[in-house]
Amino acid sequence: MWKTRTAIVTAKDKSDNMPPLLSLSAVCLLLFSTVDPSIPLQEVRVSRETIGKIAVASKLMWCSAEADILFLLDGSHSIGKGSFERSKRFAAAVCDALDISPERVRVGALQFGSTLHLEFPLDSFSTRQEVKANIKGIVFKGGRTETGLALKHLRRGFPGGRNGTVPQILIIITDGKSQGPVALPAKQLRESGIVVFAVGVRFPRWDELLTLASEPKQQHVLSAEQVEDATNGLLSALSSSALCTPADPDCRVEAHPCERKTLETVRELAGDALCWRGSRQADGVLAARCPFYSWKRVLQTHPATCYRTTCPGPCDSQPCQNGGTCIPEGVDRYRCLCPLAFGGEVNCAPKLSLECRIDVLFLLDSSAGTTLEGFRRAKTFVKRFVQAVLSEDSRARVGVASYGRDLKVAVPVGEYQDVPDLVRSLDSVPFGGGPTLTGGALLQVAEHGFGSGSRTGQDRPHRAVVLLTEAHSQDEVAGPAAHARARELLLLGVGSEAVQVELGAITGSPEHVMVYTDPQDLLGQIPELQRRLCSQPRPGCQAQSLDLVFLLDASASVGPENFARMQTFVRKCALRFDVNPDVTQVGLVVYGGQVQTAFGLDTHPTRAAVLRATSQAPYLGGVGSAGTALLHISDKVMTVQRGARPGVPKAVVMLTGGSGAEDAAVPAQKLRNNDVSVLVVSVGAVLGETVRRLAGPRDSLIHVAAYSDLRYHQDTLVEWICREAKRPVNLCKPSPCMNEGICVLKHGGYRCECRGGWEGPHCENRVLRGDVLMPHSSHQEPAGGQQPTPSQHLRS
C-alpha cells in the first residue's frame, strides 16, 4: 500500500541461524536516533502561497447542516500527555467551524485507553463555547490502547445522538498503535453509515489509520500535529457531502502532494561474537561465531495525496504593478512592496515624474544601420517618455538630437514652450540614413550638445545623454565616450541586444545600459530610464554634523558574494558625505558568528580612508545575532570614549538578510531611546515579521528584493540619513558621561556629575584613595552652548 522512502537499509535477518543459547545471553543494543519533535508529521508539498491559502480557507468554512459529531480521543500511555493536549487543540479548532446547537450540529467526546470513559454525550451542550470549554477540561487517563473495544462499544450508537436520523461522523484521534484488532469493528461502523475520520498524533502507524478511515481513504486520514492543515482537510471532506460549505463560492477542493512521516524500528547486523553450545556428543562443547544485532528508530516518509480547500487570495488578481510584490494580510486585504520608483503610489502604479534637477539630451541614431523603422521606434519612445514624466512643475529639461554622418540638434535642451510643443518638434525630425558614426556624435555632444551658455559650477544641473541605437558604430567610440564622461556627462544607453556590449563600453558601466529583446518591449524601458536619470549620486549632508555607523550582516545566511555587494553599497553611500572629524564620522560593524568593529567612528578621518577600510571589512560567516550586534554598537561604538561626539546627531544603518533578527527589537529600541536613529535595510523576497518589528517606524525601513538591487536605493538611504541629521539633539543622549556619571543639561551645555572615585569632564579619571591622586581634568562645566570634545586619552 505504501511507497516508503527511508535512509536505513535493514540488514538481512540471520536470527534463524542463531543458536538458542545465544538468544538468551546476547546483549541487544537499542540505538534511538534523535528526532526533532517539531518535524511536521504530515506536510503538504506546495508553495508557501498555497499553504497560506489553505490556512485562510479553513477560517472561511462553515458547517451548519444537521450532524452528530463524536470525538474519540486516544488517552493511552503510548500517546502521552503532550500529544493528548494537541489532540484536544485539534478538536477545539474543528468546533470553530461548527454551528453547534441542539437543532444543527451536536458534539460529544469519548476518551479510551484500557477502558472507555464518556467525557460528555452529544446532547450535553448547546453552544460552541460550552463544548470547547469542556474539551479543554478533559483529563488524560492513560492505560492500554484498546481501540477495538471502543469501536465495538459504539456499535450501540452515539451517546446522546439522534439514532441515525442525521449524519453521524466519528473522528478518532490516535497514534494507531492499538493492542487489539480494529479492522472488523471499524468496517462494521462504516457499514452502518458512520463516516470515520482517523487523525494521527505523535508518530502514528499510518497503515492502521487507513484501516480505520472511511473511503476515500486519503481524504479521511489526517494529522493533528498540523492543526490548520488537518482542520482544512476534515472540512474539505465534509464539504463534498454538503455538510460544510465555504463562505466564498470560488473556493475549491484540490488534490496536493503530501508526505506522511512515522518512526519505525529497524534491525541492523552489528557484528558477530564467539558463542558456545552443546554438541551432539554428550561430553562435547561446540564454539561458533554468532551474529548479534542493533536496533534503530528511523523517520520514514510515505508519499501520499492530500485534499485541501483553497480559496481565492487577495493577491490572485496580481494587483501590484511594475514588479511590486503582493503581500496578503488576511482574507481580503493585501499590501504591495514596490520598487523605489513606484513606492508612493497605490498598487505600485507608475510614478513617472522627473522630480530631479537634470538636463537630458536624447541622441537618436538615424543612420542606415538602425533603419527607418528603428528610428521611428526611438522617436515614439522619446514622445511617450516626455508625455509621462514632464509636467509644469518639473525641474528637468529635455532636448533631442539625431546623428548619422553628422550631429543635428533638432530641439535644444529646454527650448520648447510645453510638452505638446516638444512632441510636435519631434514629429519633424527627419531620418537621415548614411553611416553610423556614434563616436563623432559623442564628441560633438560633449562640446556643443547643451549649448555654449550652459551654467557652470554649483549652479549647473546634472547633464545626461540618452543614446538610442540599434546599430554598431562605424567609428571608434571609446575615446569620445571617455571624453564625454570627463566633461561630467552621464551617458545612458538604450538599445537592442545586438549592441549591448558596445553600449556598455560607451556608458562606462553595464548598469547604465537598458536592453530590450523585442522591439515591442522598448516602451517598457520608460520607467527604468526615469529611475536611472533621477537616481544619480548627489551630494549628501555636506554641512551637517553626523556620527554614522553601518552594521553589516556577515553571517553564513548572507554569503561572501552578497556581503561584497553590501560593502560596495556602503562605499557608494559614503561617497555622498564629507568625512572629517568636524562634520561626518563613519564607523563600521560586522556580525556573524561574532561581532566585530571593523573601524570605529574616530578611526578614519578622511573619506578615502573609510572607503579603503570598508573594502577590507571581514566576512565572518556563522550564525548571526542582530540583537547582540546592536548592543555592541550601543555599548562599545556610540560612546564618548570610542569617538562619538556629544551634541551630534547619531544614526545606525543596519543591512541584513533578515536571519538572526529575532532578538533585535529591544536593542534597537534602546538605541532609539538614546536618540540614536536606526534604519533597517532588509534584503530578501519576503519581508519577515521580525524585521518589521525591528524597524519600528515605517520610515525607518527600506525593503530590497535582492542584494543586486541595493544600488537602486542609495538616494532613499541618503535622504533618510540627511533627514535624521537635521533632528534636534539632546546633549545628554546618549550620555557622554563615563563610569555611571550622570549627565545634567545646563545653560545650553552639560556637565557630568561623577560618582565616588571618578572625576573629569566625562568622569574619565580615577581618583586613588589616600594622599596620592591620579592627574585629572578640572571638574568644570563647559561654556554655554559649547560642546566638549572627548580628548584623545578617552578613546581606548
PDB file of all heavy atoms in Angstrom, residues 658-687:
ATOM      1  N   GLY A 658      17.768  39.370   7.150  1.00  0.00           N
ATOM      2  CA  GLY A 658      16.584  39.016   7.933  1.00  0.00           C
ATOM      3  C   GLY A 658      16.818  37.897   8.918  1.00  0.00           C
ATOM      4  O   GLY A 658      16.126  37.795   9.926  1.00  0.00           O
ATOM      5  N   SER A 659      17.811  37.027   8.663  1.00  0.00           N
ATOM      6  CA  SER A 659      18.074  35.924   9.574  1.00  0.00           C
ATOM      7  C   SER A 659      18.770  36.438  10.826  1.00  0.00           C
ATOM      8  O   SER A 659      19.631  37.306  10.765  1.00  0.00           O
ATOM      9  CB  SER A 659      18.959  34.888   8.879  1.00  0.00           C
ATOM     10  OG  SER A 659      19.276  33.839   9.756  1.00  0.00           O
ATOM     11  N   GLY A 660      18.387  35.912  11.979  1.00  0.00           N
ATOM     12  CA  GLY A 660      19.018  36.298  13.231  1.00  0.00           C
ATOM     13  C   GLY A 660      18.517  37.591  13.815  1.00  0.00           C
ATOM     14  O   GLY A 660      19.131  38.146  14.728  1.00  0.00           O
ATOM     15  N   ALA A 661      17.375  38.101  13.309  1.00  0.00           N
ATOM     16  CA  ALA A 661      16.850  39.378  13.797  1.00  0.00           C
ATOM     17  C   ALA A 661      15.813  39.211  14.897  1.00  0.00           C
ATOM     18  O   ALA A 661      15.221  40.192  15.345  1.00  0.00           O
ATOM     19  CB  ALA A 661      16.239  40.169  12.629  1.00  0.00           C
ATOM     20  N   GLU A 662      15.589  37.970  15.344  1.00  0.00           N
ATOM     21  CA  GLU A 662      14.520  37.726  16.308  1.00  0.00           C
ATOM     22  C   GLU A 662      14.767  38.433  17.641  1.00  0.00           C
ATOM     23  O   GLU A 662      13.826  38.767  18.351  1.00  0.00           O
ATOM     24  CB  GLU A 662      14.368  36.215  16.555  1.00  0.00           C
ATOM     25  CG  GLU A 662      13.913  35.416  15.346  1.00  0.00           C
ATOM     26  CD  GLU A 662      15.032  35.111  14.367  1.00  0.00           C
ATOM     27  OE1 GLU A 662      16.215  35.406  14.706  1.00  0.00           O
ATOM     28  OE2 GLU A 662      14.747  34.604  13.278  1.00  0.00           O
ATOM     29  N   ASP A 663      16.032  38.640  17.981  1.00  0.00           N
ATOM     30  CA  ASP A 663      16.345  39.210  19.294  1.00  0.00           C
ATOM     31  C   ASP A 663      16.717  40.681  19.220  1.00  0.00           C
ATOM     32  O   ASP A 663      17.271  41.228  20.168  1.00  0.00           O
ATOM     33  CB  ASP A 663      17.510  38.435  19.929  1.00  0.00           C
ATOM     34  CG  ASP A 663      18.784  38.522  19.082  1.00  0.00           C
ATOM     35  OD1 ASP A 663      18.696  38.966  17.916  1.00  0.00           O
ATOM     36  OD2 ASP A 663      19.857  38.144  19.588  1.00  0.00           O
ATOM     37  N   ALA A 664      16.427  41.346  18.100  1.00  0.00           N
ATOM     38  CA  ALA A 664      16.982  42.681  17.871  1.00  0.00           C
ATOM     39  C   ALA A 664      16.033  43.831  18.183  1.00  0.00           C
ATOM     40  O   ALA A 664      16.472  44.977  18.251  1.00  0.00           O
ATOM     41  CB  ALA A 664      17.450  42.802  16.413  1.00  0.00           C
ATOM     42  N   ALA A 665      14.742  43.578  18.368  1.00  0.00           N
ATOM     43  CA  ALA A 665      13.789  44.683  18.535  1.00  0.00           C
ATOM     44  C   ALA A 665      14.090  45.494  19.789  1.00  0.00           C
ATOM     45  O   ALA A 665      14.069  46.735  19.769  1.00  0.00           O
ATOM     46  CB  ALA A 665      12.357  44.142  18.572  1.00  0.00           C
ATOM     47  N   VAL A 666      14.384  44.827  20.906  1.00  0.00           N
ATOM     48  CA  VAL A 666      14.639  45.553  22.165  1.00  0.00           C
ATOM     49  C   VAL A 666      15.940  46.346  22.097  1.00  0.00           C
ATOM     50  O   VAL A 666      15.961  47.532  22.456  1.00  0.00           O
ATOM     51  CB  VAL A 666      14.629  44.566  23.354  1.00  0.00           C
ATOM     52  CG1 VAL A 666      15.074  45.279  24.635  1.00  0.00           C
ATOM     53  CG2 VAL A 666      13.237  43.973  23.534  1.00  0.00           C
ATOM     54  N   PRO A 667      17.076  45.767  21.621  1.00  0.00           N
ATOM     55  CA  PRO A 667      18.289  46.582  21.482  1.00  0.00           C
ATOM     56  C   PRO A 667      18.116  47.768  20.541  1.00  0.00           C
ATOM     57  O   PRO A 667      18.661  48.841  20.782  1.00  0.00           O
ATOM     58  CB  PRO A 667      19.318  45.586  20.950  1.00  0.00           C
ATOM     59  CG  PRO A 667      18.842  44.260  21.418  1.00  0.00           C
ATOM     60  CD  PRO A 667      17.349  44.338  21.379  1.00  0.00           C
ATOM     61  N   ALA A 668      17.353  47.582  19.461  1.00  0.00           N
ATOM     62  CA  ALA A 668      17.117  48.698  18.539  1.00  0.00           C
ATOM     63  C   ALA A 668      16.349  49.814  19.236  1.00  0.00           C
ATOM     64  O   ALA A 668      16.648  51.006  19.060  1.00  0.00           O
ATOM     65  CB  ALA A 668      16.353  48.212  17.299  1.00  0.00           C
ATOM     66  N   GLN A 669      15.352  49.436  20.041  1.00  0.00           N
ATOM     67  CA  GLN A 669      14.588  50.452  20.763  1.00  0.00           C
ATOM     68  C   GLN A 669      15.453  51.142  21.817  1.00  0.00           C
ATOM     69  O   GLN A 669      15.279  52.339  22.088  1.00  0.00           O
ATOM     70  CB  GLN A 669      13.359  49.810  21.420  1.00  0.00           C
ATOM     71  CG  GLN A 669      12.365  50.820  21.973  1.00  0.00           C
ATOM     72  CD  GLN A 669      11.885  51.796  20.925  1.00  0.00           C
ATOM     73  OE1 GLN A 669      11.537  51.405  19.805  1.00  0.00           O
ATOM     74  NE2 GLN A 669      11.882  53.080  21.251  1.00  0.00           N
ATOM     75  N   LYS A 670      16.390  50.415  22.401  1.00  0.00           N
ATOM     76  CA  LYS A 670      17.308  51.026  23.366  1.00  0.00           C
ATOM     77  C   LYS A 670      18.113  52.136  22.699  1.00  0.00           C
ATOM     78  O   LYS A 670      18.293  53.228  23.263  1.00  0.00           O
ATOM     79  CB  LYS A 670      18.248  49.961  23.936  1.00  0.00           C
ATOM     80  CG  LYS A 670      19.292  50.522  24.904  1.00  0.00           C
ATOM     81  CD  LYS A 670      20.257  49.438  25.368  1.00  0.00           C
ATOM     82  CE  LYS A 670      21.348  50.022  26.264  1.00  0.00           C
ATOM     83  NZ  LYS A 670      22.330  48.994  26.681  1.00  0.00           N
ATOM     84  N   LEU A 671      18.599  51.880  21.481  1.00  0.00           N
ATOM     85  CA  LEU A 671      19.330  52.912  20.743  1.00  0.00           C
ATOM     86  C   LEU A 671      18.430  54.111  20.452  1.00  0.00           C
ATOM     87  O   LEU A 671      18.830  55.268  20.629  1.00  0.00           O
ATOM     88  CB  LEU A 671      19.879  52.334  19.441  1.00  0.00           C
ATOM     89  CG  LEU A 671      21.108  51.433  19.565  1.00  0.00           C
ATOM     90  CD1 LEU A 671      21.346  50.671  18.262  1.00  0.00           C
ATOM     91  CD2 LEU A 671      22.341  52.266  19.908  1.00  0.00           C
ATOM     92  N   ARG A 672      17.201  53.838  19.997  1.00  0.00           N
ATOM     93  CA  ARG A 672      16.296  54.948  19.679  1.00  0.00           C
ATOM     94  C   ARG A 672      15.968  55.758  20.931  1.00  0.00           C
ATOM     95  O   ARG A 672      15.827  56.979  20.862  1.00  0.00           O
ATOM     96  CB  ARG A 672      15.016  54.401  19.045  1.00  0.00           C
ATOM     97  CG  ARG A 672      15.234  53.790  17.664  1.00  0.00           C
ATOM     98  CD  ARG A 672      13.915  53.431  16.997  1.00  0.00           C
ATOM     99  NE  ARG A 672      14.140  52.882  15.659  1.00  0.00           N
ATOM    100  CZ  ARG A 672      14.030  51.602  15.342  1.00  0.00           C
ATOM    101  NH1 ARG A 672      13.649  50.735  16.262  1.00  0.00           N
ATOM    102  NH2 ARG A 672      14.266  51.182  14.113  1.00  0.00           N
ATOM    103  N   ASN A 673      15.823  55.080  22.078  1.00  0.00           N
ATOM    104  CA  ASN A 673      15.551  55.805  23.325  1.00  0.00           C
ATOM    105  C   ASN A 673      16.696  56.733  23.709  1.00  0.00           C
ATOM    106  O   ASN A 673      16.497  57.705  24.435  1.00  0.00           O
ATOM    107  CB  ASN A 673      15.284  54.817  24.463  1.00  0.00           C
ATOM    108  CG  ASN A 673      13.985  54.053  24.277  1.00  0.00           C
ATOM    109  OD1 ASN A 673      13.112  54.471  23.498  1.00  0.00           O
ATOM    110  ND2 ASN A 673      13.831  52.942  24.962  1.00  0.00           N
ATOM    111  N   ASN A 674      17.899  56.424  23.210  1.00  0.00           N
ATOM    112  CA  ASN A 674      19.059  57.273  23.463  1.00  0.00           C
ATOM    113  C   ASN A 674      19.317  58.238  22.314  1.00  0.00           C
ATOM    114  O   ASN A 674      20.439  58.723  22.143  1.00  0.00           O
ATOM    115  CB  ASN A 674      20.295  56.410  23.709  1.00  0.00           C
ATOM    116  CG  ASN A 674      20.333  55.842  25.106  1.00  0.00           C
ATOM    117  OD1 ASN A 674      20.009  56.541  26.073  1.00  0.00           O
ATOM    118  ND2 ASN A 674      20.708  54.579  25.232  1.00  0.00           N
ATOM    119  N   ASP A 675      18.276  58.501  21.516  1.00  0.00           N
ATOM    120  CA  ASP A 675      18.347  59.453  20.399  1.00  0.00           C
ATOM    121  C   ASP A 675      19.303  59.011  19.299  1.00  0.00           C
ATOM    122  O   ASP A 675      19.847  59.845  18.571  1.00  0.00           O
ATOM    123  CB  ASP A 675      18.732  60.851  20.896  1.00  0.00           C
ATOM    124  CG  ASP A 675      17.546  61.589  21.489  1.00  0.00           C
ATOM    125  OD1 ASP A 675      16.475  60.966  21.608  1.00  0.00           O
ATOM    126  OD2 ASP A 675      17.675  62.772  21.840  1.00  0.00           O
ATOM    127  N   VAL A 676      19.517  57.708  19.164  1.00  0.00           N
ATOM    128  CA  VAL A 676      20.280  57.174  18.038  1.00  0.00           C
ATOM    129  C   VAL A 676      19.275  56.630  17.031  1.00  0.00           C
ATOM    130  O   VAL A 676      18.532  55.699  17.329  1.00  0.00           O
ATOM    131  CB  VAL A 676      21.252  56.064  18.475  1.00  0.00           C
ATOM    132  CG1 VAL A 676      22.001  55.512  17.268  1.00  0.00           C
ATOM    133  CG2 VAL A 676      22.227  56.575  19.521  1.00  0.00           C
ATOM    134  N   SER A 677      19.218  57.224  15.851  1.00  0.00           N
ATOM    135  CA  SER A 677      18.286  56.765  14.823  1.00  0.00           C
ATOM    136  C   SER A 677      18.755  55.415  14.273  1.00  0.00           C
ATOM    137  O   SER A 677      19.951  55.187  14.108  1.00  0.00           O
ATOM    138  CB  SER A 677      18.202  57.780  13.683  1.00  0.00           C
ATOM    139  OG  SER A 677      17.792  59.040  14.182  1.00  0.00           O
ATOM    140  N   VAL A 678      17.804  54.527  13.992  1.00  0.00           N
ATOM    141  CA  VAL A 678      18.124  53.202  13.458  1.00  0.00           C
ATOM    142  C   VAL A 678      17.296  52.975  12.195  1.00  0.00           C
ATOM    143  O   VAL A 678      16.069  53.041  12.227  1.00  0.00           O
ATOM    144  CB  VAL A 678      17.831  52.085  14.486  1.00  0.00           C
ATOM    145  CG1 VAL A 678      18.168  50.719  13.877  1.00  0.00           C
ATOM    146  CG2 VAL A 678      18.623  52.303  15.767  1.00  0.00           C
ATOM    147  N   LEU A 679      17.991  52.710  11.090  1.00  0.00           N
ATOM    148  CA  LEU A 679      17.331  52.376   9.830  1.00  0.00           C
ATOM    149  C   LEU A 679      17.695  50.938   9.468  1.00  0.00           C
ATOM    150  O   LEU A 679      18.861  50.560   9.515  1.00  0.00           O
ATOM    151  CB  LEU A 679      17.771  53.307   8.703  1.00  0.00           C
ATOM    152  CG  LEU A 679      17.246  52.942   7.303  1.00  0.00           C
ATOM    153  CD1 LEU A 679      15.762  53.220   7.206  1.00  0.00           C
ATOM    154  CD2 LEU A 679      17.989  53.696   6.215  1.00  0.00           C
ATOM    155  N   VAL A 680      16.686  50.142   9.121  1.00  0.00           N
ATOM    156  CA  VAL A 680      16.901  48.753   8.729  1.00  0.00           C
ATOM    157  C   VAL A 680      16.737  48.637   7.219  1.00  0.00           C
ATOM    158  O   VAL A 680      15.702  49.015   6.666  1.00  0.00           O
ATOM    159  CB  VAL A 680      15.913  47.811   9.443  1.00  0.00           C
ATOM    160  CG1 VAL A 680      16.129  46.370   8.987  1.00  0.00           C
ATOM    161  CG2 VAL A 680      16.071  47.924  10.952  1.00  0.00           C
ATOM    162  N   VAL A 681      17.776  48.134   6.557  1.00  0.00           N
ATOM    163  CA  VAL A 681      17.705  47.809   5.135  1.00  0.00           C
ATOM    164  C   VAL A 681      17.621  46.294   5.047  1.00  0.00           C
ATOM    165  O   VAL A 681      18.597  45.583   5.281  1.00  0.00           O
ATOM    166  CB  VAL A 681      18.931  48.329   4.363  1.00  0.00           C
ATOM    167  CG1 VAL A 681      18.808  47.993   2.885  1.00  0.00           C
ATOM    168  CG2 VAL A 681      19.082  49.830   4.555  1.00  0.00           C
ATOM    169  N   SER A 682      16.415  45.767   4.752  1.00  0.00           N
ATOM    170  CA  SER A 682      16.172  44.331   4.729  1.00  0.00           C
ATOM    171  C   SER A 682      16.211  43.833   3.293  1.00  0.00           C
ATOM    172  O   SER A 682      15.532  44.379   2.420  1.00  0.00           O
ATOM    173  CB  SER A 682      14.809  44.017   5.361  1.00  0.00           C
ATOM    174  OG  SER A 682      14.503  42.659   5.239  1.00  0.00           O
ATOM    175  N   VAL A 683      17.006  42.799   3.057  1.00  0.00           N
ATOM    176  CA  VAL A 683      17.169  42.257   1.711  1.00  0.00           C
ATOM    177  C   VAL A 683      16.537  40.875   1.656  1.00  0.00           C
ATOM    178  O   VAL A 683      16.824  40.020   2.497  1.00  0.00           O
ATOM    179  CB  VAL A 683      18.653  42.171   1.326  1.00  0.00           C
ATOM    180  CG1 VAL A 683      18.789  41.722  -0.135  1.00  0.00           C
ATOM    181  CG2 VAL A 683      19.341  43.516   1.529  1.00  0.00           C
ATOM    182  N   GLY A 684      15.676  40.652   0.699  1.00  0.00           N
ATOM    183  CA  GLY A 684      15.031  39.348   0.532  1.00  0.00           C
ATOM    184  C   GLY A 684      13.693  39.486  -0.137  1.00  0.00           C
ATOM    185  O   GLY A 684      13.060  40.545  -0.104  1.00  0.00           O
ATOM    186  N   ALA A 685      13.235  38.395  -0.750  1.00  0.00           N
ATOM    187  CA  ALA A 685      11.965  38.439  -1.484  1.00  0.00           C
ATOM    188  C   ALA A 685      10.785  38.697  -0.560  1.00  0.00           C
ATOM    189  O   ALA A 685       9.815  39.336  -0.941  1.00  0.00           O
ATOM    190  CB  ALA A 685      11.762  37.130  -2.243  1.00  0.00           C
ATOM    191  N   VAL A 686      10.870  38.181   0.677  1.00  0.00           N
ATOM    192  CA  VAL A 686       9.768  38.324   1.628  1.00  0.00           C
ATOM    193  C   VAL A 686      10.247  39.104   2.833  1.00  0.00           C
ATOM    194  O   VAL A 686      11.338  38.872   3.347  1.00  0.00           O
ATOM    195  CB  VAL A 686       9.239  36.945   2.080  1.00  0.00           C
ATOM    196  CG1 VAL A 686       8.128  37.105   3.096  1.00  0.00           C
ATOM    197  CG2 VAL A 686       8.727  36.164   0.866  1.00  0.00           C
ATOM    198  N   LEU A 687       9.428  40.045   3.281  1.00  0.00           N
ATOM    199  CA  LEU A 687       9.754  40.856   4.451  1.00  0.00           C
ATOM    200  C   LEU A 687       9.184  40.179   5.687  1.00  0.00           C
ATOM    201  O   LEU A 687       7.973  40.078   5.855  1.00  0.00           O
ATOM    202  CB  LEU A 687       9.174  42.265   4.298  1.00  0.00           C
ATOM    203  CG  LEU A 687       9.514  43.283   5.396  1.00  0.00           C
ATOM    204  CD1 LEU A 687      11.020  43.515   5.439  1.00  0.00           C
ATOM    205  CD2 LEU A 687       8.797  44.591   5.139  1.00  0.00           C
TER     206      LEU A 687
END
